[in-house]
Structure formats: structure tokens, C-alpha cells
Amino acid sequence: MNMRSYFEGAGCRCRALPRLERPPKALPNGIARTLRLLAAPARFEILLVLAAGPHVVSDVVGHVGRSQTLVSHHLASLELGGLVGSVRRGRRVEYHLTRRGRRAAQAIFAV
């Protein structure tokens, strides 16, 4: 199905749309989920800190100026959302951006 027939099926009579394939339904859902995750200013700041490279929680706390509890909570949410990954190094946990997280950061910096 192309975009034109998609909009015509919805009652739209627009003829100016190019003939493009309709994006898979998962694409807009994934983008919306990522934007919801980054809607919290603290998560957005954490993503920007991790874009510079892997950090442990205490370093992230120093960069964003928020409590360790709050930073840990937001890191867990970002990890659950697939934007952040973690690696245990002894007693510390180092957080880094996943491929999806790097793409989100690149999209933000491109704007």
C-alpha cells in the first residue's frame, strides 16, 4: 500500500503526496516510545552525558547535578527502554549508549 492510497482510504483527497510506501507500524511506535523516554529533562541530560562516552553513576551525578537515587532511577528507565546498556566492572556499573541510544543522540544533535 502506498501513502496516497493510505490517505485516500482515510477520506483524504490529497493528490500532492509522493508515491511512498507506508512506514511499518512499529517505526512510529518506536519513535514515540523513545520520545516519551526523553521527555523527562533528567533523562535527556543523562543521554547527552552518555553520548560523550561510558560513565559510572557517580560521574553522571556530577555532570547533571541531581541525586544519585534519581540518576539511578532514570538510568534504569533508559536501560529498560533500550537506549542505555550497562557493564559491571568490579563493584561499579558502567553505563553506555546502545546502538539505539546513539541513533537517538545523533538525531538530537542533528536538529
Side-chain angles (χ1 to χ4, degrees):
M1 171 184 280
N2 63 38
M3 271 306 212
R4 187 182 310 264
S5 61
Y6 170 70
F7 284 109
E8 286 173 355
C12 179
R13 302 290 177 231
C14 180
R15 303 283 181 222
L17 290 174
R19 292 189 154 269
L20 299 174
E21 291 299 315
R22 180 177 175 197
K25 193 166 191 140
L27 181 65
N29 290 342
I31 293 170
R33 193 170 32 256
T34 299
L35 291 174
R36 274 194 301 274
L37 268 173
L38 296 177
R43 289 187 195 139
F44 184 78
E45 289 177 54
I46 291 168
L47 183 86
L48 296 180
V49 167
L50 294 178
H55 287 73
V56 295
V57 175
S58 60
D59 293 340
V60 176
V61 167
H63 285 296
V64 299
R66 299 182 189 257
S67 72
Q68 188 270 331
T69 306
L70 184 69
V71 169
S72 292
H73 170 76
H74 285 307
L75 281 167
S77 296
L78 290 168
E79 191 169 20
L80 189 62
L83 297 178
V84 169
S86 63
V87 177
R88 179 165 287 284
R89 302 223 187 270
R91 291 175 29 195
R92 296 177 147 210
V93 178
E94 189 175 81
Y95 291 90
H96 61 275
L97 292 182
T98 60
R99 179 183 292 161
R100 185 170 169 221
R102 283 192 304 274
R103 283 196 311 254
Q106 289 169 347
I108 290 165
F109 288 128
V111 172

